[in-house]
Coordinates of all heavy atoms in Angstrom, one line a residue:
L9 N 27.1 -19.6 -18.0 CA 25.7 -19.3 -17.6 C 24.9 -19.1 -18.9 O 23.8 -19.4 -19.0 CB 25.7 -18.1 -16.7 CG 26.2 -18.4 -15.3 CD1 26.2 -17.2 -14.4 CD2 25.5 -19.6 -14.6
A10 N 25.6 -18.5 -19.9 CA 24.9 -18.2 -21.2 C 24.5 -19.5 -21.8 O 23.3 -19.6 -22.3 CB 25.8 -17.5 -22.1
L11 N 25.3 -20.6 -21.7 CA 24.9 -21.9 -22.3 C 23.7 -22.5 -21.5 O 22.8 -23.1 -22.1 CB 26.1 -22.9 -22.2 CG 25.8 -24.3 -22.7 CD1 25.3 -24.3 -24.1 CD2 27.1 -25.1 -22.6
F12 N 23.7 -22.3 -20.2 CA 22.6 -22.7 -19.4 C 21.3 -22.0 -19.8 O 20.3 -22.7 -20.0 CB 22.9 -22.4 -17.9 CG 21.8 -22.9 -17.0 CD1 21.4 -24.2 -16.9 CD2 21.1 -22.0 -16.2 CE1 20.4 -24.6 -16.0 CE2 20.1 -22.4 -15.4 CZ 19.7 -23.7 -15.3
G13 N 21.4 -20.7 -20.1 CA 20.2 -20.0 -20.6 C 19.8 -20.6 -21.9 O 18.6 -20.7 -22.2
Q14 N 20.7 -21.0 -22.8 CA 20.3 -21.5 -24.1 C 19.7 -22.9 -23.9 O 18.7 -23.2 -24.6 CB 21.6 -21.7 -25.0 CG 22.2 -20.4 -25.4 CD 23.5 -20.5 -26.1 OE1 24.0 -21.6 -26.3 NE2 24.2 -19.4 -26.3
L15 N 20.1 -23.7 -22.9 CA 19.5 -25.0 -22.7 C 18.1 -24.8 -22.1 O 17.2 -25.6 -22.4 CB 20.4 -25.8 -21.7 CG 21.7 -26.3 -22.3 CD1 22.6 -26.9 -21.2 CD2 21.5 -27.2 -23.4
L16 N 17.9 -23.8 -21.3 CA 16.6 -23.5 -20.8 C 15.6 -23.2 -21.9 O 14.5 -23.7 -22.0 CB 16.6 -22.3 -19.8 CG 17.3 -22.6 -18.4 CD1 17.3 -21.3 -17.6 CD2 16.5 -23.6 -17.6
T17 N 16.1 -22.4 -22.9 CA 15.3 -22.0 -24.1 C 15.0 -23.3 -24.9 O 13.9 -23.4 -25.4 CB 16.0 -21.0 -24.9 OG1 16.1 -19.8 -24.1 CG2 15.2 -20.7 -26.2
E18 N 16.0 -24.2 -25.0 CA 15.7 -25.4 -25.8 C 14.7 -26.2 -25.1 O 13.8 -26.8 -25.8 CB 17.1 -26.2 -25.9 CG 17.0 -27.4 -26.8 CD 18.3 -28.1 -26.9 OE1 19.3 -27.5 -26.9 OE2 18.2 -29.3 -27.1
H19 N 14.7 -26.3 -23.8 CA 13.7 -27.1 -23.0 C 12.3 -26.4 -23.2 O 11.3 -27.1 -23.4 CB 14.1 -27.2 -21.6 CG 13.2 -28.0 -20.8 ND1 12.3 -27.5 -19.9 CD2 13.1 -29.4 -20.7 CE1 11.6 -28.5 -19.3 NE2 12.1 -29.6 -19.8
W20 N 12.3 -25.1 -23.1 CA 11.0 -24.4 -23.3 C 10.4 -24.7 -24.7 O 9.2 -25.0 -24.9 CB 11.2 -22.9 -23.1 CG 10.0 -22.1 -23.4 CD1 10.0 -21.0 -24.2 CD2 8.7 -22.2 -22.8 NE1 8.7 -20.4 -24.2 CE2 7.9 -21.1 -23.3 CE3 8.1 -23.0 -21.9 CZ2 6.6 -20.9 -23.0 CZ3 6.8 -22.8 -21.6 CH2 6.1 -21.8 -22.1
G21 N 11.3 -24.7 -25.7 CA 10.8 -25.0 -27.1 C 10.3 -26.5 -27.2 O 9.2 -26.7 -27.8
V22 N 10.9 -27.4 -26.5 CA 10.4 -28.8 -26.5 C 9.0 -28.9 -25.8 O 8.1 -29.5 -26.3 CB 11.4 -29.7 -25.8 CG1 10.8 -31.1 -25.5 CG2 12.7 -29.9 -26.6
L23 N 8.9 -28.2 -24.7 CA 7.6 -28.2 -24.0 C 6.5 -27.6 -24.9 O 5.4 -28.1 -24.9 CB 7.7 -27.4 -22.7 CG 8.5 -28.0 -21.6 CD1 8.6 -27.1 -20.4 CD2 8.0 -29.4 -21.2
K24 N 6.8 -26.5 -25.6 CA 5.8 -25.9 -26.5 C 5.4 -26.8 -27.6 O 4.3 -26.8 -28.0 CB 6.3 -24.6 -27.0 CG 6.3 -23.5 -25.9 CD 6.6 -22.1 -26.4 CE 7.8 -22.0 -27.2 NZ 8.1 -20.6 -27.7
R25 N 6.4 -27.6 -28.1 CA 6.0 -28.6 -29.2 C 5.2 -29.7 -28.6 O 4.3 -30.2 -29.3 CB 7.3 -29.1 -29.8 CG 8.0 -28.1 -30.7 CD 9.0 -28.7 -31.6 NE 10.1 -29.3 -30.9 CZ 11.2 -28.7 -30.4 NH1 11.3 -27.4 -30.5 NH2 12.1 -29.3 -29.8
I26 N 5.5 -30.2 -27.4 CA 4.7 -31.2 -26.8 C 3.3 -30.8 -26.5 O 2.3 -31.5 -26.7 CB 5.4 -31.8 -25.5 CG1 6.7 -32.5 -25.9 CG2 4.5 -32.7 -24.7 CD1 7.6 -32.8 -24.7
D27 N 3.2 -29.6 -25.9 CA 1.9 -29.0 -25.5 C 1.8 -27.6 -25.9 O 2.2 -26.7 -25.1 CB 1.7 -29.2 -24.0 CG 0.4 -28.6 -23.5 OD1 -0.5 -28.3 -24.3 OD2 0.2 -28.5 -22.2
P28 N 1.3 -27.3 -27.1 CA 1.2 -25.9 -27.5 C 0.3 -25.0 -26.6 O 0.4 -23.8 -26.6 CB 0.5 -26.0 -28.9 CG 0.8 -27.4 -29.4 CD 0.9 -28.2 -28.1
G29 N -0.5 -25.7 -25.7 CA -1.3 -24.9 -24.8 C -0.6 -24.4 -23.6 O -1.1 -23.7 -22.7
C30 N 0.7 -24.7 -23.5 CA 1.5 -24.2 -22.3 C 1.9 -22.7 -22.5 O 2.5 -22.2 -21.6 CB 2.7 -25.1 -22.1 SG 4.0 -25.0 -23.3
T31 N 1.6 -22.1 -23.6 CA 1.8 -20.7 -23.8 C 0.6 -20.0 -24.2 O -0.5 -20.7 -24.5 CB 3.0 -20.5 -24.8 OG1 3.4 -19.1 -24.7 CG2 2.6 -20.9 -26.2
N32 N 0.6 -18.7 -24.2 CA -0.6 -17.9 -24.6 C -0.1 -16.6 -25.1 O 1.1 -16.3 -25.0 CB -1.6 -17.8 -23.5 CG -1.0 -17.1 -22.3 OD1 -0.3 -16.1 -22.4 ND2 -1.3 -17.7 -21.1
P33 N -0.9 -15.7 -25.6 CA -0.5 -14.4 -26.2 C 0.3 -13.6 -25.1 O 1.3 -12.9 -25.5 CB -1.8 -13.7 -26.6 CG -2.6 -14.9 -27.0 CD -2.4 -15.9 -26.0
F34 N -0.2 -13.6 -23.9 CA 0.5 -12.8 -22.8 C 2.0 -13.3 -22.7 O 2.9 -12.5 -22.6 CB -0.2 -12.9 -21.5 CG 0.5 -12.1 -20.4 CD1 0.2 -10.7 -20.3 CD2 1.4 -12.7 -19.6 CE1 0.9 -10.0 -19.3 CE2 2.1 -12.0 -18.6 CZ 1.8 -10.6 -18.4
I35 N 2.1 -14.6 -22.5 CA 3.4 -15.2 -22.4 C 4.3 -15.0 -23.6 O 5.5 -14.6 -23.5 CB 3.3 -16.7 -22.1 CG1 2.7 -17.0 -20.7 CG2 4.7 -17.4 -22.1 CD1 2.3 -18.4 -20.4
D36 N 3.8 -15.1 -24.8 CA 4.5 -14.8 -26.0 C 5.0 -13.4 -26.0 O 6.1 -13.1 -26.4 CB 3.7 -15.2 -27.2 CG 3.4 -16.7 -27.3 OD1 4.1 -17.5 -26.7 OD2 2.4 -17.0 -28.1
D37 N 4.1 -12.5 -25.6 CA 4.5 -11.1 -25.6 C 5.6 -10.8 -24.5 O 6.6 -10.1 -24.8 CB 3.3 -10.2 -25.2 CG 3.7 -8.7 -25.2 OD1 4.0 -8.1 -26.3 OD2 3.7 -8.1 -24.1
L38 N 5.5 -11.5 -23.4 CA 6.5 -11.4 -22.3 C 7.8 -11.9 -22.8 O 8.9 -11.2 -22.6 CB 6.1 -12.2 -21.1 CG 7.1 -12.2 -20.0 CD1 7.4 -10.9 -19.4 CD2 6.6 -13.2 -18.9
W39 N 7.8 -13.0 -23.5 CA 9.1 -13.5 -24.1 C 9.7 -12.6 -25.1 O 11.0 -12.4 -25.1 CB 8.8 -14.9 -24.7 CG 9.8 -15.9 -24.3 CD1 10.7 -16.5 -25.0 CD2 10.0 -16.4 -23.0 NE1 11.5 -17.3 -24.3 CE2 11.1 -17.3 -23.0 CE3 9.4 -16.1 -21.8 CZ2 11.6 -17.9 -21.8 CZ3 9.9 -16.8 -20.6 CH2 10.9 -17.7 -20.7
L40 N 8.9 -11.9 -25.9 CA 9.5 -10.9 -26.8 C 10.1 -9.8 -26.1 O 11.1 -9.2 -26.5 CB 8.4 -10.4 -27.8 CG 7.9 -11.4 -28.9 CD1 6.7 -10.8 -29.6 CD2 9.1 -11.7 -29.8
A41 N 9.4 -9.3 -25.0 CA 9.9 -8.2 -24.2 C 11.3 -8.6 -23.5 O 12.1 -7.7 -23.3 CB 8.9 -7.8 -23.2
L42 N 11.4 -9.8 -23.1 CA 12.6 -10.3 -22.3 C 13.8 -10.5 -23.3 O 14.9 -10.4 -22.8 CB 12.3 -11.6 -21.6 CG 11.3 -11.6 -20.4 CD1 11.0 -13.0 -20.0 CD2 11.9 -10.8 -19.3
A43 N 13.5 -10.8 -24.5 CA 14.6 -11.3 -25.5 C 15.8 -10.4 -25.5 O 16.9 -10.9 -25.4 CB 14.0 -11.4 -26.9
P44 N 15.7 -9.1 -25.5 CA 16.9 -8.3 -25.5 C 17.8 -8.4 -24.3 O 19.0 -8.0 -24.3 CB 16.5 -6.8 -25.7 CG 15.1 -6.9 -26.2 CD 14.5 -8.2 -25.6
F45 N 17.2 -8.8 -23.2 CA 17.9 -8.8 -21.9 C 18.5 -10.2 -21.5 O 19.2 -10.3 -20.5 CB 16.9 -8.4 -20.8 CG 16.4 -7.0 -21.0 CD1 15.2 -6.8 -21.6 CD2 17.1 -5.9 -20.5 CE1 14.7 -5.5 -21.8 CE2 16.6 -4.6 -20.6 CZ 15.4 -4.4 -21.3
I46 N 18.0 -11.3 -22.1 CA 18.3 -12.6 -21.6 C 19.1 -13.5 -22.6 O 18.9 -13.3 -23.9 CB 17.0 -13.3 -21.2 CG1 16.1 -13.6 -22.3 CG2 16.3 -12.6 -20.1 CD1 14.9 -14.5 -22.0
S47 N 19.8 -14.4 -22.1 CA 20.5 -15.4 -23.0 C 19.6 -16.6 -23.2 O 19.8 -17.4 -24.0 CB 21.8 -15.8 -22.4 OG 21.7 -16.5 -21.2
G48 N 18.5 -16.7 -22.4 CA 17.6 -17.8 -22.5 C 16.8 -18.0 -21.2 O 17.0 -17.3 -20.3
G49 N 15.8 -18.9 -21.3 CA 14.9 -19.1 -20.2 C 13.8 -20.0 -20.5 O 13.7 -20.5 -21.7
K50 N 13.0 -20.3 -19.6 CA 11.8 -21.1 -19.7 C 10.8 -20.7 -18.6 O 11.1 -20.1 -17.7 CB 12.1 -22.6 -19.6 CG 12.6 -23.0 -18.2 CD 12.8 -24.5 -18.1 CE 11.6 -25.2 -18.1 NZ 10.8 -25.9 -17.3
L51 N 9.5 -21.2 -18.8 CA 8.5 -21.0 -17.8 C 8.6 -22.2 -16.8 O 8.9 -23.3 -17.2 CB 7.1 -20.9 -18.4 CG 6.8 -19.7 -19.1 CD1 5.3 -19.7 -19.5 CD2 7.1 -18.4 -18.4
A52 N 8.4 -21.9 -15.6 CA 8.3 -22.9 -14.6 C 6.9 -22.9 -14.0 O 6.3 -21.9 -13.8 CB 9.4 -22.6 -13.5
G53 N 6.4 -24.1 -13.6 CA 5.1 -24.2 -13.0 C 4.2 -25.0 -13.9 O 4.6 -25.5 -15.0
A54 N 3.0 -25.1 -13.4 CA 2.0 -26.0 -14.1 C 1.0 -25.2 -14.9 O -0.1 -25.7 -15.3 CB 1.3 -26.8 -13.0
G55 N 1.3 -24.0 -15.2 CA 0.3 -23.1 -16.0 C -0.5 -22.2 -15.1 O -0.6 -22.4 -13.9
G56 N -1.1 -21.3 -15.7 CA -2.0 -20.4 -15.1 C -1.3 -19.3 -14.2 O -1.8 -18.8 -13.3
G57 N -0.1 -19.1 -14.5 CA 0.7 -18.1 -13.7 C 2.0 -18.8 -13.4 O 2.3 -19.9 -13.8
G58 N 2.8 -18.2 -12.6 CA 4.1 -18.8 -12.2 C 5.3 -17.9 -12.5 O 5.1 -16.7 -12.4
F59 N 6.3 -18.6 -12.8 CA 7.6 -17.8 -13.0 C 8.3 -18.1 -14.3 O 8.2 -19.2 -14.9 CB 8.6 -18.3 -11.9 CG 8.2 -17.7 -10.5 CD1 7.4 -18.4 -9.7 CD2 8.8 -16.5 -10.1 CE1 7.0 -17.9 -8.5 CE2 8.5 -16.0 -8.9 CZ 7.6 -16.7 -8.1
A60 N 8.9 -17.1 -14.8 CA 9.8 -17.3 -16.0 C 11.2 -17.4 -15.4 O 11.6 -16.4 -14.7 CB 9.7 -16.1 -17.0
L61 N 11.9 -18.4 -15.6 CA 13.3 -18.6 -15.2 C 14.1 -18.2 -16.3 O 14.1 -18.8 -17.4 CB 13.5 -20.1 -14.8 CG 14.9 -20.5 -14.4 CD1 15.4 -19.7 -13.2 CD2 15.0 -22.0 -14.2
V62 N 14.9 -17.1 -16.1 CA 15.7 -16.6 -17.2 C 17.1 -16.3 -16.7 O 17.4 -16.1 -15.6 CB 15.1 -15.3 -17.8 CG1 13.7 -15.5 -18.4 CG2 15.1 -14.1 -16.8
M63 N 18.1 -16.3 -17.7 CA 19.4 -15.9 -17.4 C 19.7 -14.6 -18.1 O 19.5 -14.5 -19.4 CB 20.4 -17.0 -18.0 CG 20.2 -18.4 -17.4 SD 20.5 -18.4 -15.6 CE 22.2 -18.0 -15.5
L64 N 20.1 -13.6 -17.4 CA 20.4 -12.3 -18.0 C 21.7 -12.4 -18.9 O 22.6 -13.1 -18.5 CB 20.6 -11.3 -16.9 CG 19.4 -10.8 -16.1 CD1 19.9 -9.8 -15.0 CD2 18.4 -10.1 -17.0
R65 N 21.7 -11.6 -20.0 CA 22.9 -11.5 -20.8 C 24.0 -10.8 -20.0 O 25.1 -11.1 -20.1 CB 22.6 -10.8 -22.1 CG 21.7 -11.4 -23.0 CD 21.5 -10.5 -24.3 NE 20.4 -11.0 -25.1 CZ 20.5 -11.9 -26.1 NH1 21.7 -12.3 -26.4 NH2 19.5 -12.2 -26.8
D66 N 23.6 -9.8 -19.3 CA 24.5 -8.9 -18.5 C 23.9 -8.6 -17.2 O 22.8 -8.0 -17.1 CB 24.8 -7.7 -19.3 CG 25.6 -6.7 -18.6 OD1 26.2 -7.0 -17.5 OD2 25.7 -5.5 -19.1
P67 N 24.5 -9.1 -16.1 CA 23.9 -8.8 -14.8 C 23.6 -7.3 -14.5 O 22.7 -6.9 -13.8 CB 24.9 -9.3 -13.8 CG 25.7 -10.4 -14.6 CD 25.7 -9.8 -16.0
A68 N 24.4 -6.4 -15.1 CA 24.2 -5.0 -15.0 C 22.9 -4.5 -15.6 O 22.4 -3.4 -15.3 CB 25.4 -4.2 -15.6
A69 N 22.3 -5.3 -16.4 CA 21.0 -5.0 -17.1 C 19.8 -5.2 -16.2 O 18.7 -4.9 -16.6 CB 20.9 -5.7 -18.4
R70 N 20.0 -5.7 -15.0 CA 18.9 -6.1 -14.1 C 18.0 -4.9 -13.9 O 16.7 -5.0 -14.0 CB 19.4 -6.6 -12.8 CG 18.4 -7.1 -11.9 CD 18.9 -7.6 -10.6 NE 18.0 -8.3 -9.8 CZ 17.0 -7.7 -9.1 NH1 16.9 -6.4 -9.1 NH2 16.2 -8.4 -8.4
A71 N 18.6 -3.7 -13.6 CA 17.7 -2.5 -13.3 C 16.9 -2.1 -14.6 O 15.8 -1.8 -14.5 CB 18.6 -1.4 -12.9
S72 N 17.6 -2.2 -15.7 CA 16.9 -1.9 -17.0 C 15.7 -2.8 -17.3 O 14.7 -2.4 -17.7 CB 17.8 -1.9 -18.2 OG 18.9 -0.9 -18.0
L73 N 16.0 -4.1 -17.0 CA 14.9 -5.1 -17.2 C 13.8 -4.8 -16.2 O 12.6 -4.9 -16.6 CB 15.5 -6.5 -17.0 CG 14.4 -7.6 -17.0 CD1 13.7 -7.7 -18.3 CD2 15.1 -9.0 -16.8
A74 N 14.1 -4.6 -15.0 CA 13.0 -4.3 -14.0 C 12.2 -3.1 -14.4 O 10.9 -3.1 -14.3 CB 13.6 -4.0 -12.6
H75 N 12.9 -2.0 -14.9 CA 12.2 -0.8 -15.4 C 11.3 -1.1 -16.5 O 10.1 -0.7 -16.6 CB 13.2 0.3 -15.7 CG 12.6 1.5 -16.2 ND1 11.9 2.4 -15.4 CD2 12.5 2.0 -17.5 CE1 11.5 3.4 -16.1 NE2 11.8 3.2 -17.4
M76 N 11.8 -1.9 -17.5 CA 11.0 -2.2 -18.7 C 9.8 -3.0 -18.3 O 8.6 -2.7 -18.8 CB 11.9 -3.0 -19.7 CG 11.1 -3.5 -21.0 SD 10.1 -4.9 -20.9 CE 11.2 -6.2 -20.5
L77 N 9.9 -4.0 -17.4 CA 8.7 -4.8 -17.0 C 7.7 -4.0 -16.3 O 6.5 -4.1 -16.6 CB 9.2 -5.9 -16.1 CG 10.0 -7.0 -16.8 CD1 10.5 -8.0 -15.7 CD2 9.2 -7.8 -17.8
A78 N 8.1 -3.1 -15.4 CA 7.2 -2.2 -14.7 C 6.4 -1.3 -15.7 O 5.2 -1.0 -15.5 CB 7.9 -1.4 -13.7
A79 N 7.1 -0.8 -16.7 CA 6.5 0.1 -17.7 C 5.6 -0.6 -18.6 O 4.5 -0.1 -19.0 CB 7.6 0.9 -18.5
R80 N 6.0 -1.8 -19.1 CA 5.2 -2.6 -20.0 C 4.0 -3.3 -19.4 O 3.0 -3.4 -20.1 CB 6.1 -3.6 -20.7 CG 5.5 -4.3 -21.9 CD 6.5 -5.2 -22.6 NE 6.0 -5.8 -23.7 CZ 6.4 -5.7 -25.0 NH1 7.4 -4.9 -25.2 NH2 5.8 -6.3 -26.0
Y81 N 4.1 -3.7 -18.1 CA 3.1 -4.4 -17.5 C 2.7 -3.7 -16.2 O 2.8 -4.3 -15.1 CB 3.5 -5.8 -17.2 CG 4.0 -6.6 -18.4 CD1 5.3 -6.8 -18.7 CD2 3.0 -7.1 -19.4 CE1 5.7 -7.4 -19.8 CE2 3.4 -7.7 -20.5 CZ 4.8 -7.9 -20.7 OH 5.2 -8.6 -21.9
P82 N 2.2 -2.5 -16.2 CA 2.0 -1.7 -15.0 C 0.9 -2.2 -14.1 O 1.0 -2.1 -12.9 CB 1.6 -0.3 -15.5 CG 1.0 -0.5 -16.9 CD 1.8 -1.7 -17.4
D83 N -0.1 -2.9 -14.7 CA -1.2 -3.4 -13.9 C -1.1 -4.9 -13.7 O -2.1 -5.6 -13.4 CB -2.6 -3.0 -14.5 CG -2.7 -1.5 -14.5 OD1 -2.3 -0.8 -13.6 OD2 -3.2 -1.0 -15.6
Q84 N 0.0 -5.5 -13.9 CA 0.2 -7.0 -13.8 C 1.2 -7.3 -12.7 O 2.1 -6.5 -12.4 CB 0.7 -7.5 -15.1 CG -0.2 -7.2 -16.3 CD -1.4 -8.0 -16.3 OE1 -1.5 -9.1 -15.8 NE2 -2.5 -7.5 -16.8
A85 N 1.1 -8.5 -12.2 CA 2.1 -8.9 -11.2 C 3.3 -9.5 -11.9 O 3.7 -10.7 -11.7 CB 1.5 -10.0 -10.3
V86 N 4.0 -8.6 -12.6 CA 5.2 -9.0 -13.4 C 6.3 -8.2 -12.8 O 6.3 -7.0 -12.8 CB 5.0 -8.7 -14.9 CG1 6.3 -9.1 -15.7 CG2 3.8 -9.5 -15.5
G87 N 7.4 -8.9 -12.4 CA 8.6 -8.3 -11.9 C 9.7 -9.2 -11.6 O 9.6 -10.4 -12.0
L88 N 10.7 -8.8 -11.0 CA 11.9 -9.6 -10.8 C 11.9 -10.1 -9.3 O 11.5 -9.4 -8.4 CB 13.2 -8.8 -11.0 CG 13.4 -8.2 -12.4 CD1 14.7 -7.5 -12.5 CD2 13.3 -9.4 -13.4
W89 N 12.3 -11.4 -9.2 CA 12.4 -12.0 -7.9 C 13.8 -12.5 -7.7 O 14.4 -13.0 -8.6 CB 11.5 -13.2 -7.8 CG 10.0 -12.8 -7.8 CD1 9.3 -12.5 -8.9 CD2 9.2 -12.7 -6.7 NE1 8.0 -12.2 -8.5 CE2 7.9 -12.4 -7.1 CE3 9.3 -13.0 -5.3 CZ2 6.8 -12.2 -6.3 CZ3 8.3 -12.8 -4.5 CH2 7.0 -12.4 -5.0
P90 N 14.4 -12.2 -6.5 CA 15.8 -12.6 -6.3 C 16.0 -14.1 -6.3 O 15.0 -14.8 -5.8 CB 16.2 -11.9 -5.0 CG 14.9 -11.8 -4.3 CD 13.8 -11.6 -5.4
C91 N 17.1 -14.6 -6.8 CA 17.4 -16.0 -6.7 C 18.9 -16.1 -6.8 O 19.6 -15.2 -7.1 CB 16.7 -16.8 -7.8 SG 17.3 -16.4 -9.4
A92 N 19.4 -17.3 -6.5 CA 20.8 -17.6 -6.6 C 21.0 -19.0 -7.0 O 20.2 -19.9 -6.8 CB 21.5 -17.3 -5.3
I93 N 22.2 -19.2 -7.6 CA 22.6 -20.6 -7.9 C 23.5 -21.1 -6.8 O 24.5 -20.4 -6.5 CB 23.3 -20.7 -9.3 CG1 22.3 -20.2 -10.4 CG2 23.8 -22.0 -9.6 CD1 22.9 -20.1 -11.8
S94 N 23.2 -22.2 -6.2 CA 24.0 -22.7 -5.2 C 25.5 -23.0 -5.7 O 25.6 -23.6 -6.8 CB 23.4 -24.0 -4.6 OG 24.3 -24.6 -3.7
T95 N 26.4 -22.6 -5.0 CA 27.8 -22.9 -5.4 C 28.3 -24.2 -4.7 O 29.4 -24.7 -4.9 CB 28.7 -21.8 -5.0 OG1 28.7 -21.5 -3.6 CG2 28.4 -20.5 -5.7
T96 N 27.5 -24.7 -3.7 CA 27.9 -25.9 -3.0 C 27.2 -27.2 -3.5 O 27.6 -28.3 -3.1 CB 27.7 -25.8 -1.5 OG1 26.4 -25.5 -1.3 CG2 28.6 -24.7 -0.9
G97 N 26.1 -27.0 -4.1 CA 25.4 -28.2 -4.6 C 24.3 -28.6 -3.6 O 24.3 -28.2 -2.4
L98 N 23.4 -29.5 -4.1 CA 22.3 -30.0 -3.3 C 22.8 -30.8 -2.1 O 22.3 -30.6 -0.9 CB 21.4 -30.8 -4.1 CG 20.2 -31.4 -3.4 CD1 19.3 -30.2 -2.9 CD2 19.4 -32.2 -4.3
A99 N 23.9 -31.6 -2.2 CA 24.4 -32.4 -1.1 C 24.8 -31.5 0.1 O 24.5 -31.8 1.2 CB 25.5 -33.3 -1.6
E100 N 25.4 -30.4 -0.2 CA 25.9 -29.5 0.9 C 24.7 -28.9 1.5 O 24.7 -28.7 2.7 CB 26.8 -28.5 0.3 CG 28.2 -29.0 -0.1 CD 29.0 -29.5 1.1 OE1 28.9 -28.9 2.2 OE2 29.7 -30.5 1.0
E101 N 23.7 -28.5 0.7 CA 22.5 -27.9 1.2 C 21.7 -28.8 2.2 O 21.3 -28.4 3.2 CB 21.5 -27.5 0.1 CG 22.1 -26.4 -0.8 CD 22.3 -25.1 -0.1 OE1 21.6 -24.7 0.7 OE2 23.3 -24.4 -0.6
L102 N 21.7 -30.1 1.8 CA 21.0 -31.1 2.7 C 21.7 -31.3 4.0 O 21.1 -31.7 5.0 CB 20.8 -32.4 1.9 CG 19.9 -32.3 0.7 CD1 19.9 -33.6 0.0 CD2 18.5 -32.0 1.2
R103 N 23.0 -31.2 4.0 CA 23.8 -31.4 5.3 C 23.6 -30.3 6.2 O 23.9 -30.4 7.4 CB 25.3 -31.6 4.9 CG 25.6 -33.0 4.4 CD 27.1 -33.1 4.3 NE 27.5 -32.8 3.0 CZ 28.2 -33.6 2.2 NH1 28.5 -34.8 2.6 NH2 28.5 -33.2 1.0
S104 N 23.2 -29.1 5.8 CA 23.1 -27.9 6.6 C 22.0 -28.0 7.6 O 21.0 -28.7 7.5 CB 22.9 -26.7 5.8 OG 24.0 -26.5 4.9

């Protein structure tokens, strides 16, 4: 999973080189705040808001990350959303 996080970061770097307008000071600050907690990540969406897809360095740090985000961005819609990686793959999901 750590390698997956690194690949997400590599993809994010490519996107920023292709279109420097895909980031802004708020996103750059968010990325700095996330850095101690994550092995990597990228933004998802078409801009103007959306989600940061990140891989935690340590799943036990989830509560600390949530606390940091709430303290650093008290008046912003910044927080954690639950997600999971399918262990069966897309083909199994489509058969259900």
Side-chain angles (χ1 to χ4, degrees):
L9 292 177
L11 178 57
F12 181 62
Q14 292 169 8
L15 291 172
L16 290 173
T17 296
E18 185 176 328
H19 185 256
W20 175 234
V22 169
L23 290 177
K24 291 191 299 182
R25 285 192 301 276
I26 291 170
D27 179 10
C30 71
T31 191
N32 60 44
F34 179 87
I35 293 169
D36 294 340
D37 181 70
L38 175 63
W39 227 247
L40 288 173
L42 291 171
F45 298 93
I46 65 172
S47 63
K50 66 174 289 251
L51 289 187
F59 287 87
L61 173 64
V62 301
M63 298 299 296
L64 288 176
R65 291 180 194 268
D66 175 8
R70 185 181 190 283
S72 298
L73 175 56
H75 178 75
M76 180 280 294
L77 291 172
R80 189 173 181 119
Y81 305 103
D83 300 322
Q84 302 288 329
V86 178
L88 301 181
W89 292 78
C91 67
I93 296 174
S94 173
T95 58
T96 58
L98 183 59
E100 290 293 324
E101 297 293 329
L102 292 174
R103 284 188 265 237
S104 300

